[in-house]
Amino acid sequence: MSTHPTTHPAGEPVRPAVPAARLFAHRRILRVQLDAYERAIELLTDAARRRYGPVTATIGIANGGLAPARGISQLLRTPTYQVTAKHNPTDAIYTEATGTVSYDLGPLTSAVDGQQLAGTVLLVDDICGTGATLTALRPDLTTYLGPTVTVRTVALCRNAGSTLDPDLWAWTVDDWVSFPWEPVPPDGTATEDLPIPNQVHPA
């Protein structure tokens, strides 16, 4: 199957998803509490700075990747840009991915206004479920990047079923994850808080 973008009914580019399945144990919803989230942002920021040198910008994959991208940028004092991507048909718990990734680079196009980013750029998402979203977006970002730009991928979580490892992530998970900016799981739902991290992956 070709990996070149095709036309989505809404006019958005679409790429076939990575042939992988997310791992859901269906035992409990994994919750990222605010203190654990803030510590993860600190650790990911510090690791990016130490491993990749000066970071010039973050690109948050909306919706879920925008908050961590802004959090990292705030600590690094760099700008945050935005792209929009969709892999799940709804936000309902345990929704299966569609098998394609539709995305909109319009917000990034407007923000850079014909200029190209330079240096080291972090492409940030909340979770790397199969690797499909990060894989789909990377090729088309080259239009917005200077010839010497390095792109590093960062996620709060990596699903254990993913075929792709981000360059940095805080938790490896085997069930559905609820983030601080999302609605609280319904009453009666089994939940488990992810621990406050003390390091990022890969170590």
Side-chain angles (χ1 to χ4, degrees), residues 158-174:
R158 173 194 173 274
N159 185 275
S162 176
T163 59
L164 173 75
D165 287 349
D167 290 306
L168 293 172
W169 74 96
W171 294 279
T172 298
V173 296
D174 66 352

Side-chain angles (χ1 to χ4, degrees), residues 4-186:
H4 294 291
T6 57
T7 302
H8 187 271
E12 299 173 336
V14 176
R15 286 187 188 274
V18 172
R22 294 172 294 180
L23 177 63
F24 294 140
H26 290 271
R27 293 198 308 270
R28 72 288 195 228
I29 303 300
L30 298 170
R31 296 185 62 185
V32 179
Q33 298 288 8
L34 188 58
D35 54 352
Y37 166 75
E38 291 175 344
R39 182 56 177 156
I41 293 297
E42 292 172 354
L43 290 172
L44 291 168
T45 302
D46 182 62
R49 184 190 293 116
R50 288 186 291 103
R51 299 182 192 192
Y52 311 133
V55 174
T56 53
T58 65
I59 299 175
I61 303 174
N63 292 323
L66 200 52
R70 287 172 172 164
I72 292 170
S73 278
Q74 184 175 15
L75 294 178
L76 293 173
R77 299 184 179 179
T78 58
T80 297
Y81 299 95
Q82 175 181 339
V83 297
T84 301
K86 188 174 184 179
H87 193 197
N88 296 344
T90 75
D91 294 328
I93 293 172
Y94 292 122
T95 299
E96 291 295 338
T98 61
T100 57
V101 179
S102 60
Y103 55 96
D104 179 10
L105 304 181
L108 179 59
T109 302
S110 298
V112 300
D113 193 24
Q115 303 299 308
Q116 288 188 314
L117 303 181
T120 298
V121 175
L122 304 182
L123 180 61
V124 183
D125 209 353
D126 54 354
I127 187 165
C128 177
T130 64
T133 301
L134 295 174
T135 300
L137 284 169
R138 284 285 294 268
D140 286 351
L141 290 180
T142 56
T143 302
Y144 307 91
L145 308 175
T148 61
V149 167
T150 299
V151 176
R152 299 290 185 176
T153 54
V154 178
L156 291 172
C157 298
R158 173 194 173 274
N159 185 275
S162 176
T163 59
L164 173 75
D165 287 349
D167 290 306
L168 293 172
W169 74 96
W171 294 279
T172 298
V173 296
D174 66 352
D175 228 326
W176 192 269
V177 181
S178 175
F179 294 96
W181 52 86
E182 295 178 326
V184 174

